[in-house]
Amino acid sequence: MNKYVLLAYATVWSIVAPPVSAEPLVRVHTSYYYVDGPSATVLAAQIDQNGPSGADGKRYAGKTKWDVQWKFKHEQHGVTCEMKEVAVAVGVAQTLPKWRSEKNGVAALKTRWQQFTDALKRHEDGHKDHGVAAGKEIEAALLAAKPASNCEDLAASANSAADVIVKKYQKLDQEYDRKTGHGRTQGAALL
């Protein structure tokens, strides 16, 4: 074979070859709850009263929930079943506070509010990053799944591996909140 034919084969192969890195579909939705008041004390009290509830039943300034969904197609080839296609999607829902009359607030309080909400958003994005990382790791694990003797075993093994990854990142989320006091050590506190 001459080098031009080899180059043509290499070019076609690079176009149809599956991607090397895992990039799940990520969708982020942000919703807001409203607070109002003339001081940091009043705003903080409203956040404590109206903020989203965590798994522990306590209210927090913000909340991020993520969910990873995966699906795959496999195919039996003789005595082995192999992974053929993988799709992973990460859904992220963030809830953050919004100060209704911020434009009427005094300059110092507006500055403090901006610092607080920026820090809170950074903290919540840390949770989002855990969900996205879980999705990437799941997609990579599914793409790298070793063939099995039958498709039921392959599916069970793939789903089990994905479940373990989800649990790992859920624990990371819990540890992250514990270490940061739900973002307080990162500046996500008005008082």
Side-chain angles (χ1 to χ4, degrees):
M1 241 184 247
N2 72 34
K3 65 182 177 183
Y4 296 109
V5 172
L6 288 174
L7 180 61
Y9 279 123
T11 302
V12 168
W13 179 249
S14 68
I15 293 171
V16 296
V20 177
S21 67
E23 286 300 323
L25 172 67
V26 178
R27 296 201 177 173
V28 179
H29 173 75
T30 304
S31 60
Y32 298 93
Y33 65 95
Y34 293 92
V35 296
D36 203 9
S39 70
T41 304
V42 172
L43 292 172
Q46 288 193 14
I47 287 169
D48 288 344
Q49 182 179 2
N50 300 325
S53 296
D56 58 5
K58 294 180 183 176
R59 293 201 175 262
Y60 296 97
K63 182 176 183 178
T64 298
K65 289 177 62 173
W66 53 263
D67 180 56
V68 182
Q69 299 289 316
W70 60 90
K71 64 181 179 178
F72 49 82
K73 290 184 182 177
H74 42 63
E75 197 171 278
Q76 188 78 36
H77 293 287
V79 295
T80 62
C81 181
E82 297 177 346
M83 198 66 72
K84 296 308 280 181
E85 295 177 30
V86 172
V88 177
V90 181
V92 180
Q94 292 187 321
T95 304
L96 301 168
K98 208 171 259 254
W99 181 16
R100 274 192 209 274
S101 59
E102 182 177 359
K103 65 181 177 204
N104 299 328
V106 296
L109 184 56
K110 288 200 269 193
T111 299
R112 181 65 199 117
W113 178 262
Q114 190 62 54
Q115 292 167 343
F116 159 69
T117 56
D118 287 349
L120 180 61
K121 177 73 167 118
R122 275 191 305 277
H123 173 77
E124 296 304 326
D125 282 348
H127 289 294
K128 175 186 78 174
D129 292 346
H130 287 156
V132 172
K136 286 181 179 184
E137 193 170 324
I138 288 168
E139 188 166 338
L142 296 178
L143 288 169
K146 294 196 179 348
S149 60
N150 63 67
C151 290
E152 292 79 21
D153 288 348
L154 178 63
S157 175
N159 285 322
S160 177
D163 287 337
V164 167
I165 293 167
V166 167
K167 287 180 177 126
K168 175 178 105 174
Y169 282 94
Q170 288 171 336
K171 285 183 182 178
L172 283 174
D173 264 351
Q174 292 169 355
E175 183 64 14
Y176 177 60
D177 274 336
R178 189 190 66 71
K179 282 184 176 178
T180 66
H182 292 271
R184 290 187 179 282
T185 65
Q186 298 168 302
L190 270 172
L191 302 176

